[in-house]
Amino acid sequence: MSRIKEFNLPDLGEGLTEGEILAWLVKVGDTIELNQPIVEVETAKAAVEIPAKWAGQVRAIFHPEGTTVEVGTPIIAIDTDPGAGPLDGPSTTAAPSGDLPTPSAASLAAVEVAPAEGMVEPGLIGGPAPGGRTAVLVGYGPRTTTAKRRPRKNAAPAPAPAPAPVDHGAVVGDKATVTPTIPAPQVHDRRDGANGGGAGPAVAGGVVLAKPPVRKLAKDLGVDLRALSGSGPLGSITREDVQQAARGAVAVAEPVAATSTATSAASFGADREQRIPVKGVRKLTAENMSRSAFTAPHVTEFLTVDVTRAMKALERLRSRREWRDVRVSPLLLVAKAVLLAVKRHPMVNSTWAGDEIVVKEYVNLGIAAATERGLIVPNVKDAGLLSLRELADALNDLVQTAKSGRTSPADMSGGTLTITNVGVFGVDTGTPILPPGESAILAFGAVREMPWVHKGKVKARQVTTLGLSFDHRIIDGELGSKFLRDIGDFLADPEAALLAWT
């Protein structure tokens, strides 16, 4: 039995088939422990850390950061018994941080993929599973395919692969970028080294030698690595080479730009455009919103509410000894209002299923959250069963987890009703689009001090505007209006609503 094992990208659940490697948390030569996080991967749902399946020493990393890898593809090789002495034949040696090593033919031949080790009981990792799939670290569904790069516009076609073994360890090529003054470099295929050429240092296939941090710097500065002559080891390009090239390009570009401005009209071409790849969370959000907007007939209603009493109730709540260590925001009262209104109008918490409507007896309350990777909607499971204090704790945990980018796919699945708090951006309200599978979403606007008629006199009161979008196949105007009215009544006088409804 081989002591070197390949670790495949596991199925992260929810039918996901691929993930982008965001960051390696280990490097070649590191000694790792069982279940130690080794890599951070971004899927269409979230960014997650994947733990090691074995303890041992890292022998090879097959895919660099930024690579999109399909489920079931080997991503790292681990020596599970490094104390047993050197392997037969040349071994893979550790490379400096940032470089990925090239495994030798002997070491690759000794590598054994974990699921192929003998017979494993059904349901265990590496064993058979229903439907002919294979159980992996999380869920099922690995594919025996190789990693792929997302296609980019104007990318040159890669040459046909040679029959020689694939080099899993090299980091080659660079990404396309556009800046106002420096021409965009051509896109290279990281695997095959296509579109070699240029004056820069190259290996077989015309591939530029540069570490990932240097490539990122070149991308940020708009420098074409292929046009540089490297001063580093083996002719590799260093940070100083890139910075010097950028300084020279700016010096040359400035007089040219001045002359161009004086003699011709402004340019509106690609040199003044930025192209952002659509992937991960942003891609999934776009697909879901498009599908929902053109599938469910949306209706949106609005209600402006005097929430002065609700804001005073929050202040009294914060002053209580048992609540002093809890972050209490207006969103907490809005969430409570929604949960109480659902109990009075359960049809709102339902799903259109073609020939039937599925009414949920549980409320998984979603909270839309803007993150660096895009919009996500994690949800509080069975929120209707929580006390006000438990609901406050759950909302705080949900928000903090989302901000740190650690929301798991499970936290974003199974939502039944959603709140989007657009008020945090200073917006009065909106016409939100329904998350797929839900029949209602509430937009909570900013709370502002405004003139309001109160007890026959115009006074300064705290006011907000609510916007409720709903699926008109399930919720008619009467039901939607009553549901929104109940939410407004609770926010106008929380104490009275609690006494009347509970």
Side-chain angles (χ1 to χ4, degrees):
M1 183 181 297
S2 173
R3 72 191 220 197
I4 295 188
K5 302 182 186 296
E6 286 185 350
F7 180 42
N8 299 339
L9 180 67
D11 180 359
L12 299 173
E14 295 297 311
L16 301 175
T17 60
E18 64 182 16
E20 179 182 352
I21 295 177
L22 292 181
W24 281 103
L25 308 180
V26 297
K27 61 182 181 295
V28 173
D30 283 357
T31 299
I32 60 176
E33 299 179 355
L34 179 66
N35 293 328
Q36 175 182 334
I38 57 174
V39 64
E40 184 178 16
V41 176
E42 182 184 43
T43 69
K45 291 282 189 179
V48 295
E49 290 183 352
I50 298 178
K53 189 175 176 182
W54 308 282
Q57 186 179 58
V58 178
R59 298 288 296 183
I61 293 176
F62 298 144
H63 304 289
E65 296 173 0
T67 303
T68 298
V69 182
E70 292 193 352
V71 169
T73 302
I75 58 175
I76 189 172
I78 299 173
D79 184 350
T80 58
D81 191 12
L87 294 169
D88 294 335
S91 62
T92 302
T93 58
S97 178
D99 287 339
L100 300 184
T102 303
S104 65
S107 63
L108 286 176
V111 169
E112 179 178 323
V113 180
E117 288 185 8
M119 297 299 294
V120 185
E121 295 182 12
L124 297 182
I125 294 175
R133 305 175 78 185
T134 304
V136 289
L137 183 63
V138 182
Y140 301 98
R143 296 181 180 178
T144 55
T145 53
T146 58
K148 67 177 183 179
R149 295 292 300 173
R150 293 186 183 275
R152 289 187 171 88
K153 189 176 181 181
N154 298 329
V166 176
D167 183 354
H168 287 293
V171 182
V172 296
D174 55 65
K175 299 179 181 177
T177 185
V178 177
T179 64
T181 58
I182 302 175
Q186 295 296 318
V187 176
H188 295 268
D189 189 292
R190 292 177 179 266
R191 298 165 294 176
D192 302 319
N195 285 344
V203 295
V207 177
V208 178
L209 296 178
K211 295 182 178 181
V214 176
R215 295 183 183 279
K216 183 179 185 304
L217 176 63
K219 175 184 175 182
D220 294 340
L221 298 178
V223 174
D224 187 349
L225 292 175
R226 298 169 304 139
L228 305 184
S229 296
S231 60
L234 300 178
S236 62
I237 296 174
T238 65
R239 293 178 62 88
E240 290 73 20
D241 296 334
V242 174
Q243 291 169 344
Q244 183 177 358
R247 287 193 295 268
V250 171
V252 173
E254 284 178 351
V256 173
T259 303
S260 176
T261 303
T263 58
S264 63
S267 170
F268 299 102
D271 59 330
R272 297 177 64 189
E273 298 173 349
Q274 181 183 13
R275 297 181 181 271
I276 301 174
V278 179
K279 57 184 180 180
V281 174
R282 189 178 299 277
K283 181 177 181 180
L284 180 67
T285 300
E287 293 172 350
N288 286 343
M289 294 299 98
S290 298
R291 184 169 69 252
S292 177
F294 296 103
T295 301
H298 284 57
V299 173
T300 304
E301 293 186 338
F302 306 96
L303 179 65
T304 303
V305 184
D306 176 4
V307 294
T308 304
R309 289 184 178 178
M311 296 301 102
K312 291 180 178 179
L314 279 181
E315 290 300 326
R316 293 196 298 272
L317 194 62
R318 293 187 185 108
S319 66
R320 295 184 65 86
R321 182 171 55 256
E322 61 269 29
W323 282 80
R324 288 176 184 171
D325 61 339
V326 181
R327 184 179 182 275
V328 179
S329 70
L331 179 62
L332 174 61
L333 291 186
V334 174
K336 188 64 177 179
V338 168
L339 294 172
L340 290 175
V342 166
K343 289 183 178 180
R344 292 166 57 83
H345 310 284
M347 194 72 171
V348 171
N349 189 48
S350 58
T351 298
W352 181 267
D355 56 352
E356 61 184 1
I357 296 173
V358 181
V359 181
K360 312 290 178 62
E361 295 181 356
Y362 54 90
V363 181
N364 291 341
L365 185 63
I367 304 295
T371 70
E372 293 181 357
R373 295 187 178 92
L375 176 69
I376 63 174
V377 188
N379 59 79
V380 179
K381 307 299 188 204
D382 246 336
L385 301 181
L386 303 179
S387 67
L388 189 63
R389 173 58 187 267
E390 291 171 337
L391 182 61
D393 291 338
L395 290 175
N396 288 333
D397 290 344
L398 179 147
V399 172
Q400 293 305 317
T401 302
K403 287 182 177 180
S404 65
R406 302 302 177 189
T407 303
S408 68
D411 291 335
M412 292 184 285
S413 63
T416 64
L417 191 64
T418 295
I419 299 172
T420 176
N421 186 9
V422 297
V424 296
F425 305 111
V427 175
D428 290 332
T429 190
T431 56
I433 297 176
L434 294 167
E438 299 182 20
S439 62
I441 178 173
L442 179 74
F444 173 39
V447 177
R448 304 181 186 277
E449 191 172 71
M450 298 177 63
W452 191 265
V453 178
H454 178 66
K455 296 181 179 180
K457 296 180 180 180
V458 177
K459 297 183 179 181
R461 305 284 287 180
Q462 292 180 291
V463 177
T464 190
T465 301
L466 306 173
L468 178 70
S469 292
F470 52 86
D471 187 342
H472 213 1
R473 296 173 299 181
I474 302 173
I475 304 172
D476 58 24
E478 179 185 9
L479 176 58
S481 300
K482 288 181 177 179
F483 179 72
L484 182 58
R485 180 70 261 174
D486 278 358
I487 296 174
D489 286 346
F490 179 91
L491 294 176
D493 193 346
E495 293 93 338
L498 284 171
L499 291 173
W501 300 346
T502 59

